[in-house]
């Protein structure tokens, strides 16, 4: 899967992942009206609305982008129907040739991590049969529990040729409270990055590892140091756009080959129609506004990654 991700990025000249983070407030009224007419103002109605909204965005952008990143929290808030919408979204995006990065941020004691890994990137055995519960190609993983929490994901990823992005330095304002703590003269996020590089060496694709890292666009200086510590790991970079990360600061996240980083934008793309810059599209054409926002992001990012 890492090879497919790299090939998609090269083919499209677009190190971009669109974050599918649907809140009901983002969904145009006409979509909600139709979903509520069919299912009422219920969890099922909300799930139908976010699914239809996502489908519109995927249809309008799939030929421009290598990957999507559905954020599972946005679906879980609608309970079981929300999770059904999550799965439908992943399956549909996959049918369009997109790589699926499930932003699930899991990680637990070994036996529990194994179940998370099996459920999201593996196959579960039921009697003599096996099933894929969900169908992501990559998942995000929290390293706080140490190797016990990571190795089960590595084992399943190795078996299935899927991948993971481990949280190294997150984009949020308080990420430094723990991640920047100095231990033996080194920040914790660098220690995690060293482990990511070592785990990554065990699971190499053609040129990049199946084990990647998450590093926020909001911390470009740290991104520069981390790029050097993990040369073979793809970096998933959230924080561009809505959180203030800017293209001009992103060059250090890339390797000399122009690869090695994929930049996420969620609200900046899926809510484009609500922004002044795209107001001419109107609510009815929200998906066209998202397409234009992807084209603009691609242009904006050229300053960071075209060598
Ligand atoms: O460090 C991190 C890790 C994950 N995220 C997730 O990425 C998106 C960002 O959404 P925007 O609307 O583009 O701000 C969201 O799903 C976060 O949970 C992150 O922001 N930072």
């Amino acid at each position: 899967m890492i090879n497919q991700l790299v090939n998609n990025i090269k083919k499209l000249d677009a190190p971009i992942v669109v974050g599918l983070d649907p809140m009901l407030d983002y969904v145009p009224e006409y979509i909600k009206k139709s979903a509520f007419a069919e299912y009422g103002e219920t969890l099922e109605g909300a799930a139908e609305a976010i699914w239809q909204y996502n489908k519109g965005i995927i249809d309008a952008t799939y030929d421009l982008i290598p990957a999507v990143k559905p954020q599972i929290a946005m679906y879980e808030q609608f309970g079981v129907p929300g999770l059904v919408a999550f799965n439908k979204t992943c399956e549909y995006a996959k049918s369009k040739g997109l790589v699926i990065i499930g932003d699930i941020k899991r990680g637990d004691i070994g036996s529990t991590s194994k179940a998370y890994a099996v459920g999201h990137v593996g196959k579960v055995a039921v009697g003599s049969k096996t099933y894929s519960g969900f169908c992501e190609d990559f998942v995000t993983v929290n390293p706080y529990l140490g190797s016990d929490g990571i190795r089960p994901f590595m084992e399943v990823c190795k078996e299935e040729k899927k991948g993971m992005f481990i949280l190294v330095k997150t984009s949020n304002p308080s990420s430094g409270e723990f991640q920047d703590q100095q231990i033996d003269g080194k920040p914790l996020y660098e220690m995690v990055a060293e482990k990511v590089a070592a785990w990554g060496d065990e699971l190499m694709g053609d040129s990049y590892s199946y084990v990647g890292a998450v590093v926020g666009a909001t911390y470009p200086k740290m991104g520069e140091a981390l790029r050097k510590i993990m040369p073979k790991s793809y970096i998933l970079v959230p924080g561009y756009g809505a959180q203030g990360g800017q293209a001009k600061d992103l060059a250090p996240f890339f390797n000399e080959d122009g690869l090695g980083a994929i930049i996420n934008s969620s609200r900046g793309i899926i809510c484009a129609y609500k922004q002044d810059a795209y107001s001419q599209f109107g609510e009815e054409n929200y998906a066209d506004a998202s397409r234009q926002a992807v084209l603009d992001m691609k242009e904006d990012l050229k300053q960071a990654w075209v060598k």
Side-chain angles (χ1 to χ4, degrees):
M1 240 343 124
I2 185 64
N3 300 335
Q4 189 191 331
L5 181 65
V6 174
N7 289 338
N8 281 5
I9 290 171
K10 281 190 196 161
K11 189 176 76 193
L12 296 164
D13 268 356
I16 292 176
V17 51
V18 169
L20 295 173
D21 295 28
M23 294 289 286
L24 212 42
D25 279 356
Y26 305 163
V27 180
E29 284 306 320
Y30 77 93
I31 295 180
K32 281 192 280 203
K33 206 171 151 201
S34 151
F36 293 166
E38 197 174 350
Y39 296 98
E41 290 182 351
T42 59
L43 293 175
E44 286 77 12
E48 173 66 12
I50 60 170
W51 150 242
Q52 291 298 339
Y53 173 61
N54 284 348
K55 182 173 180 299
I57 292 166
I58 294 167
D59 285 342
T61 58
Y62 76 92
D63 59 324
L64 302 176
I65 55 172
V68 289
K69 183 178 78 63
Q71 165 55 260
I72 203 164
M74 303 306 185
Y75 304 81
E76 282 176 350
Q77 65 184 323
F78 302 114
V80 173
L83 280 177
V84 172
F86 174 83
N87 201 33
K88 248 167 134 171
T89 298
C90 293
E91 283 178 350
Y92 187 67
K94 188 166 267 201
S95 78
K96 294 290 199 181
L98 295 167
V99 171
I100 318 297
I101 302 172
D103 198 345
I104 63 171
K105 296 191 184 69
R106 302 299 154 94
D108 208 307
I109 63 165
S111 52
T112 307
S113 263
K114 174 91 189 278
Y116 280 136
V118 162
H120 283 277
V121 281
K123 293 191 188 78
V124 68
V126 182
S128 60
K129 306 207 161 104
T130 56
Y131 297 93
S132 299
F134 295 99
C135 68
E136 298 106 302
D137 301 307
F138 288 84
V139 284
T140 54
V141 180
N142 188 330
Y144 200 67
L145 280 88
S147 303
D148 291 344
I150 298 291
R151 290 230 167 255
F153 281 96
M154 289 176 68
E155 280 156 25
V156 173
C157 285
K158 186 172 184 184
E159 223 170 87
E160 301 287 336
K161 297 211 173 325
K162 293 194 174 182
M164 59 205 278
F165 292 99
I166 297 174
L167 302 181
V168 170
K169 173 64 190 171
T170 58
S171 64
N172 51 311
S174 65
S175 70
E177 282 177 12
F178 301 130
Q179 295 164 22
D180 296 3
Q181 285 302 310
Q182 298 279 323
I183 300 162
D184 295 336
K186 200 182 276 181
L188 176 59
Y189 64 80
E190 284 196 12
M191 293 181 77
V192 177
E194 284 166 5
K195 288 296 284 183
V196 167
W199 288 322
D201 284 343
E202 294 179 37
L203 224 63
M204 278 301 295
D206 289 345
S207 49
Y208 281 92
S209 172
Y210 287 89
V211 182
V214 175
V215 181
T218 41
Y219 297 103
K221 273 267 158 273
M222 297 169 184
E224 185 171 6
L226 291 167
R227 174 70 290 163
K228 291 189 183 104
I229 297 172
M230 309 173 287
K232 297 282 167 49
S233 293
Y234 240 82
I235 303 183
L236 170 63
V237 186
Y240 168 87
Q243 295 177 51
Q246 294 182 25
K248 69 174 175 54
D249 298 324
L250 298 182
F253 288 83
F254 291 86
N255 275 323
E256 283 300 308
D257 58 5
L259 298 168
I262 183 161
I263 317 299
N264 177 81
S265 180
S266 306
R267 287 166 290 180
I269 303 294
I270 68 173
C271 299
Y273 79 98
K274 287 178 177 275
Q275 299 166 26
D276 288 348
Y278 302 99
S279 59
Q280 74 274 19
F281 287 96
E283 211 183 58
E284 289 277 331
N285 301 313
Y286 76 99
D288 295 332
S290 292
R291 181 178 177 85
Q292 189 55 51
V294 169
L295 290 166
D296 292 345
M297 178 175 175
K298 187 173 168 184
E299 209 44 45
D300 189 36
L301 289 183
K302 278 192 178 151
Q303 56 187 298
W305 72 287
V306 169
K307 298 282 159 188

